[in-house]
Amino acid sequence: MSMDKIVSLCKRRGFLFQSSEIYGGLNGFWDYGPLGVELKRNLKDTWWRDMVTGHDDLTAPAGAPQAYQMVGLDCSIIMHPQVWKCSGHYDLFHDFMVDCRESKKRYRYDQVVGRWVESKGQKVFVTVMPETDDPATEIEPRALKFFNLRAKQADQLVYHGSHASLATISDMATVLAPDAKQLGTLTPPREFNLMFKTIVGAMGTEEDAAFLRPETAQGIFVNFKNVVDSSRVKVPFGIAQIGKSFRNEITPRNFTFRSREFEQMEIEFFCSPESSNEWYRYWRDRRYQWYLSLGLSPERLRMREHDAAEIAHYSCGTADIEYAFPFLPAGEFGELEGVAHRADFDLRSHQEGKLVKKDGALVVETGTDGKPRHKGSGKKMDYLDQETNRKYIPHVIEPSAGADRATLAFLCEAYREDMAPNDKGEQEARVLLKLHPRLAPFKAAIFPLFNKDGMPEVAQKLYLKLKKRFNVFFDDGGSVGKRYRRQDEAGTPYCLTIDHTTLQDQTVTIRDRDTLVQRRISLDAVLPELEKLIEG
Ligand code: ATP
């Protein structure tokens, strides 16, 4: 499915707009329109309900070692700067970037792809723009132009090796930058911290510097003791949080996939060290199934265990849940959620100070003076198991999802084009969003067939009754066929039409977006029927 069509539907129907569009937009920032805000809110509510408030804490779920509790939290975006020093974000949360002196563009070092091409006795690493779908088709024309050759002289180009990341190249003088005509216009790679810096208070000195959180997780860790002491939870239990995070991404791209302001849905699940591997597998599988249960297809969704080289220094296991977004080249997947076994790394860091791995063990990092490089809070982060009287720092499993990436995945999956009968009964092309009813912005639309004979009154009464329970839409404009088409594009799963028969026998037609089947049900049965269809 072409991404252009999805992007244009999002704009046309009010799912997503570029932030500050009237001023030309701001790269990496997005606004959700009237339909988009409902879709994203439904996604977050569904996650919260399934993971937190609706979670059955009395029975062990399939695959889980035992029953467990879940509670929620909502922390501030700006936290004490020491949080980020101990978490490692202050020192380690970097990407490398390169600047092009000719085009004035900035690229993420690892995202620029190119290939060695030789001609006329010169060997050049020819690169293409990071968002290029198929580098192979763009490298040749760039190389021909650079070597001053015509298309029919392509046999004078000799390729060496296959495509590679710019990060594999040591000599920038041999690189033809993505949007440059001359050679060697890229600066050497420079480190760039992804955290947004701000100033707290009026003094404006460096001591008042603070950061917008780059993840919601740390707010959970620093409140671990508060939650244990105030809510009577017992290990194993999880704390969930949904909220905004900020990362000054060097190259925001692919619609909302990589934004600078985005929302995360994170769980920190605390368990005993002995049971942690079992819990890791449980959460990994549970989270994968969650996306399937809401309609992502198994062909486009995969779970990928990280190999040893990719795993963060503190982690004992990490898996990414990934989706084959249509903007990615065929066969490539983009991360929706990471599920990580983080051991006791985070709680210990906030107790003792920033940790590093030394000889296979996590130890507090010290400076040249032998003192901790970033001092912890000194507060005990351990947990007393009342039954066994054992004190320990719990291990943590972290399923960390992005609300914007998930919303985008569900939009991409839902987009369909098919044929459906129009008002005259002829087959006509239609666009529909086959969203799961729990996610759909409107659950139903109510149409009076004609604006006369008492139909609008019956329709309005039904509309107001349903509105108390669900987000529903009232539409009395244009032919019924056109009204159906508008709802199909918005992803509304059911349409209810009030017609002449309604006035005689108090029944309405209910039309299913996906099957197009229409049936009559009584007016009184509409609410329970929708409850059954939407909530199962
Ligand atoms: P990536 O490698 O794609 O940058 P990440 O591994 O840094 O992602 P995490 O730190 O694990 O991401 O964050 C957890 C989740 O938060 C991701 O799976 C993703 O859904 C979401 N997320 C992270 N960065 C962004 C972003 N820039 N824009 C939108 N969502 C994001």
Side-chain angles (χ1 to χ4, degrees), residues 180-430:
K181 292 195 183 75
Q182 289 165 35
L183 211 56
T185 57
L186 291 178
T187 60
R190 279 186 289 157
E191 268 188 317
F192 178 80
N193 194 301
L194 298 181
M195 282 198 294
F196 278 99
K197 209 171 180 182
T198 187
I199 298 287
V200 176
M203 301 305 283
T205 65
E206 200 40 36
E207 265 118 78
D208 302 318
F211 301 96
L212 305 193
R213 65 180 177 202
E215 60 172 38
T216 60
Q218 297 304 322
I220 301 181
F221 295 126
V222 300
N223 276 295
F224 170 70
K225 274 286 186 190
N226 282 339
V227 173
V228 170
D229 294 344
S230 61
S231 60
R232 303 186 67 224
V233 283
K234 289 201 183 84
V235 169
F237 74 94
I239 306 180
Q241 170 161 230
I242 298 179
K244 289 259 175 157
S245 291
F246 302 81
R247 296 183 189 178
N248 201 0
E249 298 278 1
I250 296 169
T251 43
R253 57 188 177 142
N254 292 333
F255 213 10
T256 56
F257 181 83
R258 189 170 301 287
S259 314
R260 289 180 165 140
E261 173 175 342
F262 54 97
E263 241 173 321
Q264 290 186 306
M265 310 187 290
E266 294 195 295
I267 296 171
E268 304 304 327
F269 187 79
F270 302 93
C271 57
S272 70
E274 302 73 44
S275 62
S276 59
N277 285 336
E278 233 177 313
W279 283 114
Y280 167 65
R281 285 191 292 274
Y282 164 73
W283 277 109
R284 198 195 53 185
D285 298 345
R286 167 110 199 263
R287 293 299 308 144
Y288 179 76
Q289 289 302 328
W290 187 78
Y291 291 99
L292 291 180
S293 74
L294 289 169
L296 294 190
S297 65
E299 296 78 45
R300 302 185 72 85
L301 189 73
R302 76 172 185 195
M303 187 146 62
R304 188 178 65 83
E305 287 277 352
H306 285 203
D307 53 34
E310 211 182 340
I311 283 181
H313 61 290
Y314 48 76
S315 181
C316 306
T318 300
D320 284 347
I321 299 170
E322 301 178 327
Y323 183 70
F325 284 97
F327 50 75
L328 297 172
E332 278 189 27
F333 289 70
E335 176 181 329
L336 280 183
E337 171 162 352
V339 183
H341 183 315
R342 298 178 63 94
D344 59 359
F345 176 80
D346 305 276
L347 291 179
R348 261 186 68 200
S349 305
H350 289 301
Q351 177 178 304
E352 300 170 15
K354 187 194 158 202
L355 299 174
V356 284
K357 209 166 204 170
K358 210 170 172 188
D359 304 329
L362 283 172
V363 294
V364 175
E365 188 184 6
T366 47
T368 42
D369 55 2
K371 290 190 183 145
R373 192 168 138 63
H374 296 304
K375 226 167 128 218
S377 66
K379 302 275 184 308
K380 286 270 175 221
M381 290 291 184
D382 54 7
Y383 169 82
L384 174 68
D385 185 326
Q386 307 272 3
E387 274 163 39
T388 58
N389 219 18
R390 180 166 77 117
K391 248 189 184 171
Y392 61 93
I393 298 186
H395 276 207
V396 169
I397 312 300
E398 176 188 78
S400 169
D404 307 270
R405 284 195 190 170
T407 302
L408 186 58
F410 284 111
L411 269 171
C412 294
E413 181 81 36
Y415 186 97
R416 309 284 158 94
E417 290 171 3
D418 68 1
M419 302 295 280
N422 62 15
D423 284 314
K424 294 186 205 129
E426 299 153 348
Q427 290 292 326
E428 208 176 78
R430 75 164 176 164

